[in-house]
Amino acid sequence: MYIFCTDCWLIAVLYFTWLVFDWNTPKKGGRRSQWVRNWAVWRYFRDYFPIQLVKTHNLLTTRNYIFGYHPHGIMGLGAFCNFSTEATEVSKKFPGIRPYLATLAGNFRMPVLREYLMSGGICPVSRDTIDYLLSKNGSGNAIIIVVGGAAESLSSMPGK
């Protein structure tokens, strides 16, 4: 709201007009950007934690998949690194499979953040989105849902 009261009000008006026409794009898988998914920062991110993607099974590109990812942790950063970036080379390990990391729909109501999330292949975890990706978007889609959440992470205790 502040930007509407500055000299940049025209940018805000244009962006919010864009949002009106683009509101349902996250529910259809968003706009994946290979450029964003291949940023060098993701490799540093992967090495810092360290994060690995271990392939244990081949996936058919003629089918769609739903995967549960565990553990959730506070933010699900392992899932983000593995499936929303190319830091662990998910597209080379599973050629023909398009991973979609599902997150809270509220994240897509925040201006600019929604564009960033969609560029990594992140989508809302809602029935409409999952139904669209599994039945109307062709085959070779893999939806990754990070099970658990903030309430569960607050209930956890070291060693249990």
Side-chain angles (χ1 to χ4, degrees):
M1 294 307 294
Y2 171 75
I3 202 165
F4 283 110
C5 301
T6 67
D7 291 338
C8 298
W9 67 269
L10 183 59
I11 294 170
V13 168
L14 291 173
Y15 183 74
F16 282 100
T17 303
W18 164 257
L19 280 179
V20 169
F21 292 105
D22 193 54
W23 192 251
N24 289 324
T25 301
K27 295 177 184 174
K28 296 182 179 177
R31 283 181 297 279
R32 183 183 306 265
S33 168
Q34 284 304 114
W35 178 68
V36 172
R37 290 175 60 88
N38 285 304
W39 282 349
V41 69
W42 304 135
R43 292 187 295 279
Y44 294 114
F45 180 82
R46 172 202 63 203
D47 294 340
Y48 178 77
F49 281 105
I51 298 170
Q52 294 181 0
L53 178 62
V54 179
K55 180 179 178 177
T56 59
H57 188 68
N58 290 324
L59 300 177
L60 299 173
T61 58
T62 57
R63 301 184 69 185
N64 290 321
Y65 300 91
I66 297 178
F67 295 113
Y69 181 92
H70 178 75
H72 188 291
I74 298 298
M75 296 179 67
L77 296 177
F80 170 79
C81 185
N82 280 317
F83 303 111
S84 295
T85 75
E86 288 297 324
T88 57
E89 300 180 329
V90 66
S91 64
K92 290 181 183 173
K93 291 179 180 175
F94 299 101
I97 301 294
R98 286 177 308 278
Y100 292 92
L101 182 60
T103 187
L104 299 171
N107 291 332
F108 295 93
R109 293 187 187 106
M110 293 182 225
V112 183
L113 175 64
R114 71 186 292 275
E115 314 303 329
Y116 174 69
L117 293 174
M118 286 191 298
S119 68
I122 300 175
C123 63
V125 61
S126 67
R127 182 183 178 127
D128 292 339
T129 303
I130 293 171
D131 182 49
Y132 178 84
L133 292 173
L134 294 179
S135 62
K136 298 177 181 79
N137 197 36
S139 60
N141 299 306
I143 301 168
I144 298 90
I145 300 172
V146 183
V147 294
E152 289 82 1
S153 68
L154 293 174
S155 298
S156 65
M157 307 220 7
K160 294 185 180 182

